[in-house]
Amino acid sequence: MSCARSKTLHDHPLNFGKFLTRAIDVFPFAMKTTLALCSVASISLIFYFAFSNRSHNFPPHPNVVTDFNQNGISADGHEKTNISHILFGIGGSVESWDKRRSYTELWWKPNVTRGFVWLDEKPSPSMPWLETLPQYRVSEDTSRFKYSCPYGSRSAVRMARIVKESFQLGLENVRWFVMGDDDTVYFPDNLLSVLAKYDHNQMYYIGGNSESVEQDVIHSYTMAYGGGGFAISYPLAAELVKILDGCIDRYDKLYGSDQKIQGCLSEIGVPLTKELGFHQLDIRGNPYGLLAAHPVTPLVSLHHLDYVESIFPNLNPIDSVKKLVSGYKVDPGRTVQHSFCYDLRRNWSVSVSWGYTVQLYPFFVTAKKLETALQTFWTWKNWDARLFTFNTQPVSSDPCERSVVYMLDRVESVGGRETLTTYKRYNIDKGENDCIRSDYTHALKVEAFSVSAPKFNPDLWNKAPRRQCCEIINGTKGADRVVQVQIRSCNGFESVTPP
Ligand SMILES: *[C@@H]1O[C@H](CO)[C@@H](O)[C@H](O)[C@H]1NC(C)=O
Ligand SMILES: *[C@@H]1O[C@H](CO)[C@@H](O)[C@H](O)[C@H]1NC(C)=O
Ligand SMILES: *[C@@H]1O[C@H](CO)[C@@H](O)[C@H](O)[C@H]1NC(C)=O
Ligand SMILES: *[C@@H]1O[C@H](CO)[C@@H](O)[C@H](O)[C@H]1NC(C)=O
């Protein structure tokens, strides 16, 4: 049964067997069963169907914007938040660590990132502990706590207490406690860009929802999904740890550790501050559409990479993320940031998701359409495969409507201030289903895109968000085979408006 998947501690692996049918008319029954089972949420179905997810898309308003000098100190002596101010708590287990540790290795910086992986027991001496990995701590015994969710795993109690045990270590200079799973991949510089927007001396709870509406309906829209990682500021952690053990018993019916934490935070009265760069990745299939249309916000985390198709074709899950990370290392802030440009000479539309993919349409496509994620995936439970907390559009069944796709090939840093990334044509079906219309045959001659961009200034995340602009550099030699694109900030009154 689904509990076998409890090793991914924030999966919420409800298994309704026959209820997993797609048809919307069986959904109410499945819902009622869920509510009766675990009283996870008291959202009525009417509310669910009337619900509009638009309200989730407003970015929060940071309450401080301060200018810092080169040493990260502002005029009033306030020190900018840096990586050493974050204490990571990684929810692991001896059984899963060996397989999952390669996800942590992707982002952990020895002697730079601070934190621990929390295990259920001491690892056997035969399990070598590499210096390149976070140190482990063994969680306290939690057998005295109540846990009564029939489809869940007791390990949720241990996971919920990681924030408390981390706090009780009493480490100095911790501003944020960041909790996640052992298969959460962080992009630490971007996590920092997000956290540095907020005043750590206030009580903040920051993270993201599940992408699948069915998950949010069952497990709540008010909580940060633990697999995507979430942050709790020090003063909030200080209040949380005082009441957490009581909450764990009070919310014994809730499935996950993230839900128990949120239950406790609701007693304090601190709501979730949503940030769209945390990705629980509660989807199945190919995450391409999501990563090719990221919102204008830093990419903070990815999760569930064992449950989706590799983000780069022909690479295993770990090597795919390594490839994404290779771009991130050269320009963290620009990773998967979107830019659109038109080629007025050839009537083309180009959509760049920096460090990941380029799409070429041999006709003009509106910005509105280009920014909408292609649905290359379906929902976690597949109850209604189309219901996400963000807009999607179907991939057209007509090859003459689809984009020609290019995937990241190489990343170079140019002179310290610029980057050059190249993207190679990805031929999913060896050309068998290519459109044979003349505009397409012309476009299909393009083998690669070569994209120049200035390195992204992370201070821009403290300003009003705006997608950056790009232009096609025409007149270059071999421009039929390799198209050159320059990304830059937009000029005043510049817009992506078709002629
Ligand atoms: C981070 O800021 C602290 C001050 O709170 C400072 O002592 C430390 O050197 C900084 N660390 C890094 C890595 O910049
Ligand atoms: C981390 O720091 C310690 C103490 O300074 C040092 O011995 C160790 O080699 C460092 N580890 C890595 C991986 O840099
Ligand atoms: C590129 O082509 C456009 C449209 O024909 C033209 O207006 C522009 O001057 C060209 N730019 C360069 C750099 O050749
Ligand atoms: C581009 O579109 C315009 C207007 O639809 C058309 O007149 C022109 O011939 C097209 N150019 C090319 C190269 O397809």
Side-chain angles (χ1 to χ4, degrees):
M1 137 108 207
S2 59
C3 293
R5 217 180 283 133
S6 63
K7 274 175 272 152
T8 285
L9 294 147
H10 297 105
D11 273 350
H12 308 111
L14 292 186
N15 187 346
F16 287 96
K18 64 184 171 163
F19 300 131
L20 295 188
T21 4
R22 286 87 249 170
I24 198 103
D25 56 351
V26 301
F27 188 66
F29 183 39
M31 267 294 296
K32 281 175 199 147
T33 316
T34 312
L35 297 181
L37 260 179
C38 276
S39 67
V40 161
S42 59
I43 302 167
S44 77
L45 289 165
I46 294 150
F47 179 57
Y48 164 72
F49 286 115
F51 190 78
S52 148
N53 65 27
R54 297 193 74 196
S55 60
H56 294 275
N57 294 329
F58 294 110
H61 297 285
N63 60 355
V64 276
V65 177
T66 315
D67 286 326
F68 294 95
N69 69 16
Q70 279 176 333
N71 301 321
I73 299 176
S74 70
D76 60 0
H78 174 73
E79 284 152 333
K80 192 175 179 174
T81 294
N82 67 47
I83 193 71
S84 75
H85 295 124
I86 299 176
L87 190 68
F88 289 95
I90 302 164
S93 70
V94 163
E95 198 199 336
S96 66
W97 182 247
D98 211 30
K99 191 166 156 273
R100 294 267 178 88
R101 67 184 165 86
S102 22
Y103 285 116
T104 301
E105 267 171 325
L106 286 167
W107 61 271
W108 186 259
K109 295 187 203 161
N111 289 346
V112 175
T113 38
R114 295 164 81 196
F116 302 95
V117 50
W118 294 84
L119 301 176
D120 46 347
E121 55 185 331
K122 203 170 159 34
S124 77
S126 65
M127 193 166 160
W129 210 269
L130 302 174
E131 245 194 42
T132 51
L133 288 171
Q135 289 175 12
Y136 69 83
R137 287 277 183 281
V138 178
S139 299
E140 287 167 18
D141 178 30
T142 53
S143 52
R144 67 180 187 281
F145 290 97
K146 288 202 275 181
Y147 185 83
S148 62
C149 182
Y151 56 77
S153 156
R154 271 201 76 80
S155 59
V157 173
R158 187 172 71 80
M159 295 298 135
R161 292 187 84 253
I162 290 176
V163 62
K164 177 168 174 159
E165 293 188 44
S166 298
F167 184 88
Q168 286 171 343
L169 295 173
L171 298 180
E172 284 194 354
N173 239 333
V174 175
R175 295 182 178 183
W176 297 94
F177 294 88
V178 172
M179 302 291 124
D181 279 349
D182 53 0
D183 62 342
T184 306
V185 176
Y186 293 102
F187 295 82
D189 292 1
N190 293 343
L191 172 64
L192 209 52
S193 293
V194 168
L195 296 184
K197 291 195 298 182
Y198 298 92
D199 180 354
H200 62 277
N201 291 311
Q202 298 192 40
M203 297 203 288
Y204 276 111
Y205 168 44
I206 301 171
N209 277 164
S210 170
E211 293 82 354
S212 289
V213 165
E214 69 219 10
Q215 291 285 85
D216 292 314
V217 169
I218 294 170
H219 300 291
S220 174
Y221 279 101
T222 59
M223 77 173 197
Y225 281 65
F230 59 88
I232 291 182
S233 63
Y234 187 93
L236 181 56
E239 297 212 8
L240 173 66
V241 302
K242 289 251 184 218
I243 58 170
L244 183 64
D245 286 351
C247 294
I248 287 174
D249 280 342
R250 258 192 306 291
Y251 299 100
D252 62 315
K253 291 193 182 74
L254 300 185
Y255 169 86
S257 59
D258 41 9
Q259 280 172 293
K260 292 171 197 289
I261 299 244
Q262 193 275 324
C264 220
L265 293 175
S266 76
E267 294 188 1
I268 299 169
V270 172
L272 174 63
T273 297
K274 284 172 191 164
E275 280 283 351
L276 297 174
F278 290 86
H279 297 285
Q280 163 82 2
L281 227 62
D282 271 347
I283 56 171
R284 307 281 184 171
N286 194 330
Y288 179 85
L290 189 148
L291 291 172
H294 198 267
V296 184
T297 193
L299 173 67
V300 173
S301 68
L302 291 173
H303 176 237
H304 272 161
L305 293 162
D306 278 342
Y307 296 87
V308 290
E309 286 169 29
S310 285
I311 58 178
F312 284 96
N314 311 325
L315 290 180
N316 68 38
I318 299 282
D319 287 341
S320 305
V321 195
K322 273 190 188 152
K323 184 132 205 174
L324 193 66
V325 168
S326 71
Y328 158 80
K329 281 186 174 156
V330 175
D331 193 353
R334 197 174 294 282
T335 308
V336 302
Q337 293 306 305
H338 239 165
S339 286
F340 309 145
C341 38
Y342 294 134
D343 182 326
L344 301 176
R345 207 160 44 93
R346 294 174 283 199
N347 292 0
W348 286 357
S349 306
V350 172
S351 160
V352 181
S353 166
W354 189 91
Y356 183 54
T357 188
V358 173
Q359 294 176 78
L360 165 61
Y361 292 90
F363 44 85
F364 293 120
V365 181
T366 59
K368 176 71 196 149
K369 200 165 159 66
L370 293 174
E371 75 176 8
T372 305
L374 289 165
Q375 198 198 325
T376 55
F377 44 81
W378 57 97
T379 62
W380 187 247
K381 292 285 161 228
N382 207 4
W383 279 355
D384 185 321
R386 298 161 300 134
L387 293 180
F388 300 96
T389 50
F390 53 97
N391 291 119
T392 58
Q393 57 180 327
V395 178
S396 175
S397 57
D398 177 359
C400 295
E401 295 286 315
R402 292 199 291 255
S403 60
V404 185
V405 171
Y406 301 80
M407 299 299 293
L408 179 71
D409 183 44
R410 266 153 43 97
V411 180
E412 287 169 65
S413 185
V414 181
R417 306 182 71 162
E418 292 250 332
T419 58
L420 181 66
T421 44
T422 51
Y423 305 78
K424 263 198 185 153
R425 172 89 199 280
Y426 173 58
N427 220 337
I428 196 161
D429 47 20
K430 302 197 169 54
E432 284 160 27
N433 290 318
D434 284 346
C435 172
I436 51 168
R437 213 170 55 208
S438 67
D439 54 351
Y440 263 91
T441 48
H442 197 178
L444 287 166
K445 290 204 183 97
V446 176
E447 291 160 15
F449 274 80
S450 175
V451 177
S452 314
K455 287 195 181 163
F456 193 91
N457 177 358
D459 290 340
L460 288 173
W461 294 127
N462 291 324
K463 308 238 154 86
R466 183 178 185 184
R467 195 180 56 231
Q468 293 208 327
C469 288
C470 62
E471 58 190 300
I472 313 275
I473 315 290
N474 49 15
T476 41
K477 222 174 139 204
D480 280 350
R481 286 193 311 107
V482 181
V483 175
Q484 316 247 8
V485 174
Q486 173 74 50
I487 296 180
R488 51 168 178 73
S489 51
C490 301
N491 299 319
F493 300 98
E494 181 172 3
S495 58
V496 181
T497 304

